[in-house]
Structure formats: C-alpha cells, structure tokens
Amino acid sequence: MTELYDKYARAAERMLHFVETRTTDMASGTMRVPVADYLSEERFEAEIARIFKRLPLMLALTIELPNVNDYKAMEVMGLPVLITRGRDGKARAFLNVCKHRAMHLAKEGKGNCKAFACQYHGWTYSNEGKLIGIAEASTFGEVDRSTLNMTELPCDEAAGLIFVILTPKDSGGLPINAVEWMGGMYEDFAALKLETWYFHKARKMQGANWKVAYDGYLEGYHFQAAHTNTVATRSPSNRANYEGFGPHIRLGFPQNSITRLADLPREEWGRQENNGYDFIRMLFPNMSFFLAPEMGQLAQLFPGPKANQNTTVMNYIFPVKPETEKGLAALDQMCDFFFDVVEEEDYFLGLKVQNGLESGAMTHQTFGRNEPGNQFFHKWIAYYLDESGQTPMPVMKA
C-alpha cells in the first residue's frame, strides 16, 4: 500500500502543479480522428468483433454474486449471458441458452439456484453448465449429453470484478487472466477491496456512439462549460493528470481545494483522494469507476445495437449497507443525483455531438494537446483493429 500511495502522491503533486501554473498534462501534438469512425456500420462491426468480443469485459461485481449458487443473467450487446457461482465458489460465464431448442434458461436479473430448468421443454442444467436432465428422456432418443452442455465463455475474477470474453471457449475464445488484463490497475482495485462493499442498485441510460460516450469520460476540458453548477464547483476545467497501464487509464482531476496539500506532510498526499483530488479509473474498453467520498459509481458501456447508439449501466456501490429504511432512501437519493448529472449533462451533450457528427459539417474531430487521454484511447482502438499487427502499441507520454 505504501508504494501505491507514493504513486498517488506523485500524481497529486502534478495536479497541484497544474492548478498553480494553470497548465495540464499534454500530448506532443493534436490528433485528428475521422468522423466516419463514429458513423460507419462497417467500422462498428469491426470494433464489436475485434474489441468487444475478443477482450475481457467487466460484466459483474463480486458483490452481485457473493454466495454459492448466486447468478446474474443479462443481455450484453444482443447476447444472452449467464454468470454463476458454483459449489466451488468459482465464477463462471455461459451463453444463457438451452442446447435443445435455443431457449433462454434464466430470466434476466439475479437470483440463487443450483440448477436451471428451461421453461420451454424442461431440460435442466447445473449452474456449472452441465446438462443434468432431459425431460422424458426415454422418448427423446439417443444423444451425446457431453455435447449438449451450456456454451461456456472465458471468465475470471479478481479484485472484486468479474471479467468475461464474449467468444466461447470452443469457438476460439482467448485465455483470460483478470490480474494480467488489469495490469498496473490491479493494485488500485485490490486496495479498494470492492468485494466487501454493498451493491445498492443499477440504472441504464441510452447514449450516442460508444466512443462519443467514452471520450466524455476522458477529459475535464468540458467541466466549466458543461457542468457549471455541478462538477465545476468541485473541480477546475482543463487540469488533469493521465497515467496509462496498457490500454487502461488512471485519470486524476484536482479539486479546487487541492492547495490544502501544501499544509500537509508530503507522505500524506497519496492518502487524500476525494480530499483535494479525484481519480477516474478506466478499464478499456467498457468500464469507468469514480470513487466519491461516500460511494462508488461504476459505469459499464456497451455499444449498439447500431453504430450511433450505446447502453450504459450505472452501478452504485457503498462501503457499508445502511441498517435503516431511511438510510437506504438516502442512498437512493444520492445515486439518482449522480445518475442525473451524467444523463442530463454528459449523455445529453453526447447525443447532440452524435447529431453534429451525422450532419456532414466536418470530416474529422480534432483532439487537442490538452486531451491526451482521448488520443491514447483512439490509438488503442486503432491498435486492436489492425489485423496486420503493424500498429505499434500506444504509450502514454508522461
């Protein structure tokens, strides 16, 4: 932990410098991104195939499936996905499909059961994916049951997060190691101990192309204009620190109160998150986590169904569950405030941006030197889309 706090302290020192000198982290130059990258259905399909179906996606929190036999059934970009926790305590993921006639097995939502019965013909499966019963098997005929188990997806769990690759294991799904995938961000999430938190609720919002939405998470240049009465009252515009870990980003925003660090011993600076500065922790390609003083807001970003659309699931978690109904109601109010800020300010603007991109007014967007996170993000997309392997792996310049 001491080493991690030292890293946070160095980030805090840079953020304080940016506020004092009215500067920010900067890329070496500007970057133009074709508008077609946000509009092309062909490009969109390539992003789904080479990014969202090949890379680990954060699909559930450990605290959503805390007990043996817990499950979460969800639709992910049109795919029915079922995440379970077996008798051995291991999280597994499957396509939520009966191998008889392709009916969904579990209804969307969460629950606890050790077996799933298909509501169409009654075939049953264990929560570890094995076919355990064929209704009136004596009349059905001979089949090789080993070929009729649920279709398993690569799945791994670490630091309170459950990751899934949407390409099945038997169809070329890639190996998955959650710790390796998080890389330098693993230490951040492990230190938060999210597996001990309380999951309060999730809400969905609809937005523009997934990159329009992701772009909005990656810079504070818009704070003063877009969040005049909300975020800008806490954090100054155009002051940010960026650190890259593979395709992931730890984004630091100073608060207006960051000058208070000067009155503290240097060894305390790394322990002042939410008390002078804030971090947004981005896990490519679909997760953003904002740790507020009292709560965590975790966004899961899912493209589609068309290129100009995304669905974002906002998850709200808290260190401790309140013991009273009044306390739970207060959490609801807090969650709804954060949700409304994102939906009514960020995502509302994102839909206008999408309309502007579709208007034909421009052929390219330009990301400034003061938007290095956006540049880094788009370089990683290009890296993953390049089937030739010639695109160099992007590096965040300090």
Side-chain angles (χ1 to χ4, degrees), residues 1-10 187 191 266-271:
M1 287 295 290
T2 300
E3 184 179 348
L4 182 61
Y5 285 134
D6 286 344
K7 293 175 183 177
Y8 292 169
R10 288 194 291 272
E187 191 178 11
R266 179 63 169 70
E267 58 268 23
E268 291 296 316
W269 287 21
R271 301 174 184 269

Side-chain angles (χ1 to χ4, degrees), residues 121-199:
H121 295 92
W123 285 31
T124 56
Y125 294 81
S126 75
N127 62 13
E128 295 178 356
K130 184 178 181 180
L131 175 64
I132 56 177
I134 295 176
E136 299 200 32
S138 62
T139 68
F140 191 82
E142 291 297 321
V143 293
D144 181 354
R145 293 194 181 204
S146 68
T147 66
L148 297 172
N149 294 328
M150 294 173 67
T151 299
E152 189 166 4
L153 301 172
C155 177
D156 197 22
E157 180 175 20
L161 306 173
I162 299 174
F163 295 86
V164 177
I165 295 176
L166 295 180
T167 298
K169 284 185 173 182
D170 59 5
S171 300
L174 300 175
I176 185 171
N177 183 308
V179 173
E180 289 183 2
W181 172 243
M182 285 188 277
M185 292 290 283
Y186 169 74
E187 191 178 11
D188 278 55
F189 285 100
L192 292 172
K193 299 185 183 302
L194 297 181
E195 66 275 10
T196 69
W197 287 41
Y198 158 63
F199 184 94

Side-chain angles (χ1 to χ4, degrees), residues 19 26 84-85 99 133 136 145 158 201 223 230 305 328 331 343 356 381 391:
V19 169
M26 291 193 289
T84 68
R85 192 171 298 284
K99 284 292 190 66
E136 299 200 32
R145 293 194 181 204
K201 70 176 181 179
F223 284 177
T230 52
L328 290 169
L331 296 196
E343 183 176 50
I381 293 173
T391 298

